[in-house]
Amino acid sequence: MDAELLEPGERIGILTGLTPAGEVGDTLAFAAGRVVDSAAADAGVGVDGTACHAVDATGWVALPPLADLHAHLDKGYTWTAFGQPEGSLDDAIACWVDHGENHTYEAIKAGARRHLVAALHAGVTAVRSHTNYHLGDDPLRGIRALIELRAEFAGIVDLQVVASPGPSDGPDDLGRAAIALGFDLVGGFPHLAEDPAADLERSAAFAEEFGLGMDLHTDETLDPASMGLAELAARTSHWPTGVIRSAGHCVSLSTQDAGTRARTLSAVAAAGVSIITNPLTNLYLQGWQHPVGTPRGIPPLREIIDAGVTLAAGGDNVQDPFNPLGNADMVDVAAELVMAGHLTPAEAWHISSSGGRAAFGLPPARGRVGDVADVVLVRAAHAAEALAERAPDRIVIRDGRVIAVRRRVVSSVLDLGRLQTSPSAPTSEGALI
Ligand SMILES: [Zn+2]
Protein backbone atom coordinates (compact mmCIF):
# COMPACT_ATOMS: atom_id res chain seq x y z
CA MET A 1 0.00 0.00 0.00
CA ASP A 2 0.98 3.62 -0.42
CA ALA A 3 2.19 5.43 2.69
CA GLU A 4 -0.26 8.15 1.77
CA LEU A 5 -3.10 5.80 2.70
CA LEU A 6 -1.82 4.72 6.13
CA GLU A 7 -4.18 5.24 9.01
CA PRO A 8 -3.67 5.06 12.78
CA GLY A 9 -3.72 1.54 14.13
CA GLU A 10 -2.27 -0.11 11.07
CA ARG A 11 0.82 -2.27 11.52
CA ILE A 12 3.82 -2.02 9.26
CA GLY A 13 6.04 -4.90 8.21
CA ILE A 14 8.28 -3.14 5.75
CA LEU A 15 8.72 0.32 4.27
CA THR A 16 10.29 0.51 0.83
CA GLY A 17 11.19 3.38 -1.45
CA LEU A 18 12.26 5.62 1.42
CA THR A 19 14.55 8.49 0.64
CA PRO A 20 17.70 7.55 2.59
CA ALA A 21 18.29 9.83 5.59
CA GLY A 22 20.42 9.54 8.66
CA GLU A 23 21.07 5.90 9.43
CA VAL A 24 18.11 4.63 7.38
CA GLY A 25 18.48 3.52 3.76
CA ASP A 26 15.65 2.99 1.32
CA THR A 27 14.12 0.09 3.26
CA LEU A 28 13.09 -0.26 6.87
CA ALA A 29 11.64 -3.49 8.22
CA PHE A 30 9.97 -4.29 11.52
CA ALA A 31 9.18 -7.46 13.40
CA ALA A 32 7.95 -7.87 16.96
CA GLY A 33 8.46 -4.21 17.75
CA ARG A 34 12.05 -4.06 16.54
CA VAL A 35 13.89 -2.98 13.45
CA VAL A 36 15.02 -6.11 11.63
CA ASP A 37 16.91 -6.99 8.52
CA SER A 38 14.48 -6.67 5.63
CA ALA A 39 14.67 -10.41 4.98
CA ALA A 40 13.09 -11.00 8.39
CA ALA A 41 10.26 -8.50 8.05
CA ASP A 42 6.76 -9.21 9.27
CA ALA A 43 5.05 -8.24 6.00
CA GLY A 44 1.95 -10.32 5.78
CA VAL A 45 0.85 -11.47 9.18
CA GLY A 46 2.51 -10.38 12.39
CA VAL A 47 3.16 -12.46 15.46
CA ASP A 48 -0.18 -11.48 16.94
CA GLY A 49 -2.05 -12.43 13.76
CA THR A 50 -2.80 -8.88 12.62
CA ALA A 51 -1.96 -7.77 9.11
CA CYS A 52 1.41 -6.12 8.65
CA HIS A 53 1.56 -3.92 5.60
CA ALA A 54 4.27 -3.65 3.01
CA VAL A 55 4.30 0.08 2.42
CA ASP A 56 5.58 2.08 -0.53
CA ALA A 57 7.12 5.11 1.17
CA THR A 58 8.39 6.86 -1.92
CA GLY A 59 8.85 10.55 -1.15
CA TRP A 60 9.18 10.06 2.58
CA VAL A 61 12.14 9.95 4.97
CA ALA A 62 12.14 7.92 8.18
CA LEU A 63 13.66 9.88 11.03
CA PRO A 64 14.01 9.17 14.76
CA PRO A 65 10.87 10.22 16.64
CA LEU A 66 11.06 13.57 18.36
CA ALA A 67 11.44 14.02 22.11
CA ASP A 68 10.55 17.20 24.00
CA LEU A 69 12.65 17.18 27.15
CA HIS A 70 11.50 20.46 28.65
CA ALA A 71 7.82 21.29 28.60
CA HIS A 72 5.44 23.03 30.99
CA LEU A 73 2.19 21.24 30.30
CA ASP A 74 0.54 22.91 33.27
CA LYS A 75 0.97 26.36 31.71
CA GLY A 76 -0.03 25.69 28.10
CA TYR A 77 -2.43 27.94 26.20
CA THR A 78 -2.79 30.53 28.97
CA TRP A 79 -1.36 33.48 27.03
CA THR A 80 -4.63 35.33 26.56
CA ALA A 81 -6.27 34.27 29.81
CA PHE A 82 -3.24 35.38 31.81
CA GLY A 83 -3.13 38.88 30.40
CA GLN A 84 -0.58 38.69 27.60
CA PRO A 85 2.49 40.02 29.40
CA GLU A 86 5.16 41.50 27.21
CA GLY A 87 8.70 40.98 28.23
CA SER A 88 11.29 39.29 30.23
CA LEU A 89 11.46 36.21 32.42
CA ASP A 90 10.71 38.42 35.43
CA ASP A 91 7.57 39.76 33.72
CA ALA A 92 6.41 36.26 32.86
CA ILE A 93 6.98 34.98 36.39
CA ALA A 94 5.09 37.93 37.86
CA CYS A 95 2.20 37.27 35.50
CA TRP A 96 2.19 33.61 36.46
CA VAL A 97 2.09 34.49 40.15
CA ASP A 98 -0.73 36.98 39.59
CA HIS A 99 -2.95 34.51 37.76
CA GLY A 100 -1.78 31.14 39.01
CA GLU A 101 -4.25 30.91 41.86
CA ASN A 102 -7.14 30.87 39.41
CA HIS A 103 -5.63 28.21 37.18
CA THR A 104 -7.95 25.30 37.87
CA TYR A 105 -7.30 21.60 37.74
CA GLU A 106 -9.71 21.35 34.79
CA ALA A 107 -7.95 24.11 32.86
CA ILE A 108 -4.54 22.63 33.56
CA LYS A 109 -5.58 19.20 32.39
CA ALA A 110 -7.35 20.48 29.26
CA GLY A 111 -4.36 22.56 28.21
CA ALA A 112 -1.94 19.74 28.92
CA ARG A 113 -3.99 17.26 26.92
CA ARG A 114 -4.19 19.67 23.99
CA HIS A 115 -0.42 20.03 24.14
CA LEU A 116 0.16 16.27 24.16
CA VAL A 117 -2.20 15.70 21.24
CA ALA A 118 -0.43 18.39 19.22
CA ALA A 119 2.93 16.89 20.12
CA LEU A 120 1.81 13.40 19.14
CA HIS A 121 0.67 14.52 15.69
CA ALA A 122 3.98 16.31 15.22
CA GLY A 123 5.90 13.09 15.86
CA VAL A 124 6.84 13.68 19.49
CA THR A 125 6.64 10.39 21.40
CA ALA A 126 8.36 11.45 24.61
CA VAL A 127 7.72 14.55 26.73
CA ARG A 128 9.29 15.57 30.01
CA SER A 129 7.16 18.20 31.68
CA HIS A 130 7.76 20.33 34.71
CA THR A 131 4.85 21.38 36.80
CA ASN A 132 4.72 23.93 39.57
CA TYR A 133 3.22 23.56 42.97
CA HIS A 134 0.25 25.76 42.21
CA LEU A 135 -0.96 28.72 44.19
CA GLY A 136 -4.19 28.56 46.10
CA ASP A 137 -6.07 25.57 47.38
CA ASP A 138 -4.91 22.20 46.15
CA PRO A 139 -1.31 23.09 45.21
CA LEU A 140 -0.71 19.61 43.82
CA ARG A 141 -3.46 19.86 41.21
CA GLY A 142 -0.95 20.29 38.38
CA ILE A 143 1.08 17.26 39.40
CA ARG A 144 -2.09 15.22 39.75
CA ALA A 145 -3.40 16.28 36.33
CA LEU A 146 -0.14 15.40 34.62
CA ILE A 147 0.19 12.05 36.34
CA GLU A 148 -3.32 11.19 35.15
CA LEU A 149 -2.36 12.19 31.61
CA ARG A 150 0.79 10.08 31.88
CA ALA A 151 -1.47 7.07 32.27
CA GLU A 152 -3.89 8.24 29.56
CA PHE A 153 -1.08 8.54 26.98
CA ALA A 154 0.89 5.47 28.10
CA GLY A 155 2.36 3.61 25.16
CA ILE A 156 1.65 6.56 22.86
CA VAL A 157 3.52 9.54 24.29
CA ASP A 158 5.82 8.71 27.18
CA LEU A 159 5.51 11.41 29.82
CA GLN A 160 7.90 12.16 32.68
CA VAL A 161 6.49 14.47 35.33
CA VAL A 162 8.91 16.80 37.11
CA ALA A 163 7.61 18.32 40.32
CA SER A 164 9.20 21.74 40.49
CA PRO A 165 8.79 23.63 43.75
CA GLY A 166 9.71 27.30 43.77
CA PRO A 167 12.23 28.66 46.25
CA SER A 168 9.46 29.76 48.60
CA ASP A 169 7.39 26.60 48.46
CA GLY A 170 9.12 25.24 51.50
CA PRO A 171 11.00 22.03 51.61
CA ASP A 172 8.97 19.40 52.06
CA ASP A 173 5.52 18.92 53.23
CA LEU A 174 4.15 19.47 49.78
CA GLY A 175 6.95 17.48 48.25
CA ARG A 176 6.27 14.49 50.46
CA ALA A 177 2.60 14.63 49.62
CA ALA A 178 3.49 14.81 45.94
CA ILE A 179 5.75 11.78 46.25
CA ALA A 180 2.70 9.73 47.10
CA LEU A 181 1.15 10.76 43.78
CA GLY A 182 4.05 9.22 41.89
CA PHE A 183 5.91 11.94 40.00
CA ASP A 184 9.09 11.01 38.17
CA LEU A 185 11.77 13.62 38.81
CA VAL A 186 12.58 16.32 41.31
CA GLY A 187 12.66 19.81 39.80
CA GLY A 188 13.48 23.30 40.95
CA PHE A 189 14.82 26.73 40.05
CA PRO A 190 17.99 27.29 42.10
CA HIS A 191 19.01 30.41 40.18
CA LEU A 192 15.84 32.13 41.39
CA ALA A 193 16.56 31.43 45.05
CA GLU A 194 18.26 33.83 47.41
CA ASP A 195 20.75 31.09 48.16
CA PRO A 196 21.08 28.95 45.01
CA ALA A 197 23.52 26.52 46.62
CA ALA A 198 21.12 25.84 49.49
CA ASP A 199 18.24 25.40 47.06
CA LEU A 200 20.25 22.92 45.01
CA GLU A 201 21.12 21.04 48.16
CA ARG A 202 17.47 20.92 49.17
CA SER A 203 16.46 19.40 45.84
CA ALA A 204 19.35 16.96 45.66
CA ALA A 205 18.86 15.70 49.20
CA PHE A 206 15.15 15.28 48.56
CA ALA A 207 15.84 13.31 45.37
CA GLU A 208 18.32 11.10 47.16
CA GLU A 209 15.93 10.41 50.00
CA PHE A 210 13.37 9.01 47.57
CA GLY A 211 15.74 7.52 45.03
CA LEU A 212 14.60 9.85 42.27
CA GLY A 213 16.46 11.66 39.53
CA MET A 214 16.48 15.41 39.12
CA ASP A 215 15.90 17.97 36.39
CA LEU A 216 16.58 21.54 37.45
CA HIS A 217 16.06 24.83 35.70
CA THR A 218 19.66 25.93 35.73
CA ASP A 219 21.30 29.31 35.19
CA GLU A 220 18.36 30.81 33.30
CA THR A 221 20.07 34.17 33.40
CA LEU A 222 22.63 36.12 31.40
CA ASP A 223 24.62 36.78 34.58
CA PRO A 224 27.98 35.06 34.06
CA ALA A 225 28.37 34.68 37.83
CA SER A 226 25.57 32.12 37.83
CA MET A 227 27.44 28.80 38.10
CA GLY A 228 24.57 26.46 38.88
CA LEU A 229 25.53 24.02 36.14
CA ALA A 230 28.96 23.40 37.63
CA GLU A 231 27.41 23.13 41.09
CA LEU A 232 24.86 20.61 39.84
CA ALA A 233 27.62 18.51 38.30
CA ALA A 234 29.64 18.58 41.51
CA ARG A 235 26.61 17.69 43.64
CA THR A 236 25.53 14.71 41.51
CA SER A 237 28.85 13.34 40.25
CA HIS A 238 28.69 10.42 42.68
CA TRP A 239 25.15 9.41 41.70
CA PRO A 240 24.89 5.98 40.09
CA THR A 241 24.74 5.73 36.32
CA GLY A 242 21.14 5.65 35.20
CA VAL A 243 19.86 8.09 37.81
CA ILE A 244 18.77 11.07 35.72
CA ARG A 245 20.32 14.47 36.38
CA SER A 246 19.51 17.15 33.84
CA ALA A 247 20.09 20.88 33.59
CA GLY A 248 17.63 22.95 31.59
CA HIS A 249 18.47 26.26 29.89
CA CYS A 250 22.10 26.89 31.00
CA VAL A 251 21.87 30.43 29.64
CA SER A 252 24.77 31.88 31.63
CA LEU A 253 27.11 29.39 29.98
CA SER A 254 26.78 31.55 26.87
CA THR A 255 28.15 34.57 28.73
CA GLN A 256 31.16 32.95 30.41
CA ASP A 257 34.74 32.89 29.15
CA ALA A 258 36.13 29.95 27.22
CA GLY A 259 38.14 28.56 30.12
CA THR A 260 35.15 28.57 32.47
CA ARG A 261 32.95 26.93 29.86
CA ALA A 262 35.50 24.22 29.19
CA ARG A 263 35.98 23.42 32.89
CA THR A 264 32.26 23.31 33.52
CA LEU A 265 31.47 21.15 30.51
CA SER A 266 34.25 18.73 31.36
CA ALA A 267 32.77 18.31 34.84
CA VAL A 268 29.26 18.01 33.41
CA ALA A 269 30.33 15.23 31.05
CA ALA A 270 32.13 13.37 33.82
CA ALA A 271 29.14 13.67 36.14
CA GLY A 272 26.68 12.34 33.56
CA VAL A 273 24.55 15.49 33.63
CA SER A 274 22.51 16.04 30.48
CA ILE A 275 21.85 19.55 29.22
CA ILE A 276 18.49 20.53 27.79
CA THR A 277 18.48 23.61 25.62
CA ASN A 278 15.29 25.58 25.07
CA PRO A 279 16.05 27.98 22.25
CA LEU A 280 12.57 29.33 21.59
CA THR A 281 11.88 30.53 25.10
CA ASN A 282 15.40 31.75 25.74
CA LEU A 283 15.38 33.81 22.54
CA TYR A 284 12.10 35.30 23.66
CA LEU A 285 12.73 35.88 27.37
CA GLN A 286 16.38 36.83 27.46
CA GLY A 287 18.01 40.05 26.34
CA TRP A 288 15.22 42.56 26.93
CA GLN A 289 17.69 44.75 28.83
CA HIS A 290 20.24 44.69 25.99
CA PRO A 291 18.88 46.61 23.00
CA VAL A 292 22.32 46.74 21.40
CA GLY A 293 24.06 43.48 20.56
CA THR A 294 21.15 41.61 22.10
CA PRO A 295 22.41 38.29 23.47
CA ARG A 296 20.71 35.13 22.30
CA GLY A 297 20.64 33.30 25.63
CA ILE A 298 21.43 29.98 23.98
CA PRO A 299 24.28 27.94 25.46
CA PRO A 300 27.25 27.02 23.24
CA LEU A 301 25.75 23.93 21.67
CA ARG A 302 28.78 22.89 19.65
CA GLU A 303 31.00 23.00 22.72
CA ILE A 304 28.49 20.97 24.69
CA ILE A 305 28.43 18.28 22.01
CA ASP A 306 32.20 18.28 21.63
CA ALA A 307 32.60 17.87 25.39
CA GLY A 308 30.69 14.59 25.20
CA VAL A 309 27.69 15.85 27.14
CA THR A 310 24.27 14.39 26.33
CA LEU A 311 22.41 17.29 24.74
CA ALA A 312 18.63 17.36 24.35
CA ALA A 313 16.14 20.09 23.53
CA GLY A 314 12.77 21.29 24.69
CA GLY A 315 9.93 23.43 23.42
CA ASP A 316 9.50 24.80 26.94
CA ASN A 317 6.42 27.01 26.66
CA VAL A 318 3.35 26.83 24.48
CA GLN A 319 1.32 30.02 24.18
CA ASP A 320 1.72 31.03 27.79
CA PRO A 321 3.21 34.06 29.55
CA PHE A 322 6.71 32.73 28.91
CA ASN A 323 6.29 32.37 25.14
CA PRO A 324 3.21 33.41 23.19
CA LEU A 325 4.23 31.39 20.11
CA GLY A 326 5.15 27.84 21.16
CA ASN A 327 3.23 25.08 19.40
CA ALA A 328 4.38 21.70 20.84
CA ASP A 329 6.14 20.82 17.57
CA MET A 330 9.79 19.96 18.12
CA VAL A 331 10.48 20.65 14.45
CA ASP A 332 10.19 24.34 15.26
CA VAL A 333 12.69 23.86 18.06
CA ALA A 334 15.07 21.93 15.83
CA ALA A 335 14.83 24.65 13.20
CA GLU A 336 15.89 27.18 15.80
CA LEU A 337 18.82 25.00 16.81
CA VAL A 338 20.01 25.57 13.24
CA MET A 339 19.18 29.25 12.89
CA ALA A 340 20.12 30.49 16.33
CA GLY A 341 22.20 27.61 17.66
CA HIS A 342 24.36 27.05 14.60
CA LEU A 343 23.96 23.29 14.41
CA THR A 344 23.52 21.49 11.11
CA PRO A 345 19.97 20.36 10.26
CA ALA A 346 20.97 16.72 10.82
CA GLU A 347 22.51 17.57 14.19
CA ALA A 348 19.45 19.56 15.16
CA TRP A 349 17.13 16.62 14.39
CA HIS A 350 19.46 14.31 16.30
CA ILE A 351 19.46 16.53 19.40
CA SER A 352 15.66 16.90 19.20
CA SER A 353 15.10 13.18 18.89
CA SER A 354 17.87 10.77 19.85
CA GLY A 355 19.47 13.22 22.27
CA GLY A 356 16.17 13.60 24.03
CA ARG A 357 15.58 9.86 24.16
CA ALA A 358 19.00 9.38 25.76
CA ALA A 359 18.34 12.03 28.39
CA PHE A 360 14.88 10.56 29.03
CA GLY A 361 16.28 7.07 29.47
CA LEU A 362 14.60 5.55 26.41
CA PRO A 363 16.21 2.98 24.11
CA PRO A 364 17.62 4.19 20.78
CA ALA A 365 15.29 4.59 17.80
CA ARG A 366 17.75 5.36 15.02
CA GLY A 367 16.44 2.79 12.56
CA ARG A 368 19.32 0.39 13.14
CA VAL A 369 18.65 -3.34 13.26
CA GLY A 370 17.75 -4.12 16.87
CA ASP A 371 16.39 -0.66 17.67
CA VAL A 372 12.80 -0.23 18.73
CA ALA A 373 10.40 0.04 15.79
CA ASP A 374 9.70 3.74 16.37
CA VAL A 375 10.13 6.33 13.61
CA VAL A 376 8.40 9.35 12.24
CA LEU A 377 7.84 9.39 8.51
CA VAL A 378 8.20 12.86 7.13
CA ARG A 379 7.33 13.85 3.60
CA ALA A 380 10.57 15.59 2.73
CA ALA A 381 13.76 14.92 0.83
CA HIS A 382 16.06 15.31 3.84
CA ALA A 383 16.26 16.72 7.34
CA ALA A 384 16.95 20.25 6.12
CA GLU A 385 13.79 20.28 4.01
CA ALA A 386 11.82 18.80 6.89
CA LEU A 387 12.94 21.68 9.11
CA ALA A 388 12.70 24.39 6.48
CA GLU A 389 9.13 23.53 5.51
CA ARG A 390 8.11 22.44 8.99
CA ALA A 391 7.12 19.27 7.08
CA PRO A 392 3.36 19.29 7.51
CA ASP A 393 2.82 15.66 6.47
CA ARG A 394 3.97 13.20 9.12
CA ILE A 395 3.18 9.62 10.05
CA VAL A 396 4.13 8.57 13.54
CA ILE A 397 5.07 4.92 14.03
CA ARG A 398 5.62 3.33 17.39
CA ASP A 399 6.21 -0.32 18.10
CA GLY A 400 5.72 -0.94 14.37
CA ARG A 401 2.21 0.53 14.46
CA VAL A 402 0.92 3.81 13.09
CA ILE A 403 -0.14 5.85 16.11
CA ALA A 404 -0.81 9.21 14.48
CA VAL A 405 -1.11 10.79 11.05
CA ARG A 406 -0.94 14.45 10.19
CA ARG A 407 -1.74 15.60 6.68
CA ARG A 408 -1.88 18.98 5.09
CA VAL A 409 -4.83 19.46 2.84
CA VAL A 410 -4.68 22.32 0.38
CA SER A 411 -6.91 23.51 -2.39
CA SER A 412 -6.83 26.33 -4.85
CA VAL A 413 -8.12 27.34 -8.23
CA LEU A 414 -4.98 25.85 -9.74
CA ASP A 415 -5.29 22.40 -11.25
CA LEU A 416 -2.77 20.67 -9.03
CA GLY A 417 -3.04 17.44 -10.96
CA ARG A 418 -1.63 19.07 -14.05
CA LEU A 419 1.10 21.08 -12.36
CA GLN A 420 4.57 19.64 -12.04
CA THR A 421 5.39 19.34 -8.35
CA SER A 422 8.62 18.19 -6.75
CA PRO A 423 8.52 14.49 -5.87
CA SER A 424 10.19 15.23 -2.54
CA ALA A 425 7.41 17.26 -1.02
CA PRO A 426 4.17 17.26 -2.95
CA THR A 427 1.04 18.53 -1.33
CA SER A 428 -1.31 15.86 -0.05
CA GLU A 429 -3.85 16.80 -2.64
CA GLY A 430 -1.26 16.70 -5.37
CA ALA A 431 -0.16 13.25 -4.34
CA LEU A 432 -3.68 11.92 -4.28
CA ILE A 433 -4.68 13.20 -7.67
ZN1 LIG B 1 11.07 25.70 31.97
Side-chain angles (χ1 to χ4, degrees):
M1 70 183 297
D2 193 314
E4 174 66 32
L5 303 176
L6 282 171
E7 294 292 344
E10 292 181 317
R11 292 201 163 275
I12 294 174
I14 188 166
L15 297 157
T16 59
L18 287 162
T19 301
E23 303 196 29
V24 178
D26 60 2
T27 301
L28 190 59
F30 304 133
R34 296 278 166 182
V35 176
V36 297
D37 188 87
S38 55
D42 259 351
V45 178
V47 288
D48 60 356
T50 57
C52 285
H53 297 289
V55 177
D56 177 359
T58 301
W60 299 75
V61 291
L63 296 169
L66 296 159
D68 185 346
L69 265 284
H70 189 116
H72 287 270
L73 294 177
D74 59 329
K75 294 185 171 76
Y77 308 100
T78 56
W79 168 250
T80 50
F82 278 38
Q84 306 177 41
E86 178 184 10
S88 65
L89 177 58
D90 288 344
D91 291 343
I93 292 172
C95 177
W96 179 254
V97 170
D98 282 348
H99 291 81
E101 189 167 347
N102 299 321
H103 198 28
T104 66
Y105 161 84
E106 289 78 14
I108 291 170
K109 194 166 182 180
R113 186 185 282 117
R114 176 180 169 186
H115 181 140
L116 287 169
V117 169
L120 166 63
H121 287 89
V124 178
T125 57
V127 175
R128 178 183 293 171
S129 177
H130 299 257
T131 174
N132 289 78
Y133 292 26
H134 289 265
L135 296 171
D137 295 339
D138 191 13
L140 301 183
R141 59 191 183 278
I143 295 173
R144 203 168 63 250
L146 264 56
I147 285 173
E148 290 165 0
L149 288 168
R150 184 180 65 191
E152 191 176 312
F153 282 79
I156 305 295
V157 179
D158 292 324
L159 178 59
Q160 283 177 335
V161 179
V162 187
S164 301
S168 59
D169 284 338
D172 287 326
D173 289 347
L174 278 178
R176 288 172 198 287
I179 284 281
L181 298 176
F183 67 82
D184 298 288
L185 297 167
V186 174
F189 311 82
H191 60 280
L192 297 178
E194 272 186 34
D195 185 344
D199 198 65
L200 166 64
E201 178 55 34
R202 177 187 72 161
S203 296
F206 187 67
E208 287 169 345
E209 179 180 346
F210 291 98
L212 294 173
M214 186 162 68
D215 183 326
L216 300 180
H217 285 67
T218 302
D219 299 331
E220 194 177 357
T221 168
L222 291 164
D223 180 359
S226 186
M227 294 290 293
L229 178 59
E231 291 160 7
L232 173 59
R235 181 62 182 81
T236 59
S237 63
H238 68 286
W239 282 13
T241 304
V243 178
I244 290 169
R245 53 275 217 184
S246 297
H249 295 291
C250 304
V251 171
S252 69
L253 198 62
S254 69
T255 64
Q256 294 163 347
D257 63 77
T260 302
R261 295 198 304 271
R263 281 192 299 278
T264 296
L265 290 175
S266 174
V268 166
V273 173
S274 53
I275 289 179
I276 298 156
T277 185
N278 304 298
L280 299 179
T281 298
N282 287 148
L283 282 168
Y284 178 69
L285 289 177
Q286 301 295 324
W288 288 78
Q289 310 304 321
H290 301 76
V292 177
T294 306
R296 300 172 178 217
I298 297 174
L301 305 180
R302 175 84 48 211
E303 293 177 29
I304 293 170
I305 295 169
D306 289 348
V309 175
T310 298
L311 177 61
D316 207 353
N317 299 95
V318 173
Q319 299 165 46
D320 67 20
F322 297 77
N323 179 5
L325 298 187
N327 62 10
D329 184 353
M330 284 299 291
V331 164
D332 274 35
V333 176
E336 214 56 57
L337 294 178
V338 177
M339 297 302 292
H342 294 175
L343 298 183
T344 68
E347 288 174 327
W349 193 285
H350 174 81
I351 297 307
S352 305
S353 56
S354 298
R357 292 181 67 87
F360 195 107
L362 291 168
R366 303 153 296 192
R368 289 185 195 170
V369 170
D371 283 0
V372 293
D374 297 10
V375 294
V376 55
L377 297 181
V378 178
R379 180 139 53 193
H382 40 65
E385 184 177 290
L387 299 185
E389 302 200 4
R390 306 301 195 261
D393 291 352
R394 303 180 206 175
I395 299 169
V396 191
I397 297 168
R398 182 165 174 168
D399 197 27
R401 183 173 69 118
V402 176
I403 59 169
V405 174
R406 200 178 82 174
R407 294 192 178 99
R408 171 179 57 176
V409 175
V410 298
S411 61
S412 67
V413 296
L414 294 171
D415 182 352
L416 296 177
R418 298 178 62 174
L419 288 177
Q420 292 292 321
T421 55
S422 161
S424 61
T427 64
S428 288
E429 187 170 340
L432 285 168
I433 288 172

